[in-house]
Amino acid sequence: MLSHLSFGVSDLPRAIAFYDAALAPLGLVRVWTVSDGAGYGPPNGGDLLALKLQAGPVTPPGPGFHLAFAAASRQAADEFRRAALAAGGRDNGAPGLRPRYAPDYYAAFVIDPEGYRLEAVTRATA
């Protein structure tokens, strides 16, 4: 249904450092870089997320919006959160089951340095 999503960022080097670290546990890498942007997706693939440098302040969408990345395992979701926090993200929900979504829904939530809400989610049992 979706091809990719773009986030405006005010500090591209900071955003690149954050996403390089946070997305690595999910198997996603930077697939392109230009002077005013970067794209992330599977190795040797196209971008699923594009970061675009903005001249002015960036205002991420409100609380009803977040971007969920697929994690291959619970460990990958845990590692996503650890890497994101170490790279300047903020906690927005510790890793764990979310039975109100589904009995096997395991997720971790963070907020990136710009204020975008992110999730790593898996339905794997390990």
Side-chain angles (χ1 to χ4, degrees), residues 49-79:
L49 173 65
L51 306 175
K52 298 288 189 171
L53 180 62
Q54 302 300 302
V58 172
T59 305
F65 175 88
H66 77 278
L67 176 57
F69 294 98
S73 65
R74 292 179 180 187
Q75 179 180 351
D78 295 349
E79 290 173 7

Side-chain angles (χ1 to χ4, degrees), residues 4-9 11-20 23 30 32-40 47-54 67 112 114 116:
H4 66 275
L5 185 67
S6 296
F7 284 174
V9 299
D11 184 334
L12 185 60
R14 178 183 69 179
I16 286 173
F18 174 83
Y19 283 95
D20 281 357
L23 296 182
R30 188 165 11 127
W32 59 265
T33 308
V34 295
S35 63
D36 63 349
Y40 292 86
D47 65 335
L48 302 173
L49 173 65
L51 306 175
K52 298 288 189 171
L53 180 62
Q54 302 300 302
L67 176 57
D112 85 351
E114 294 281 353
Y116 291 102

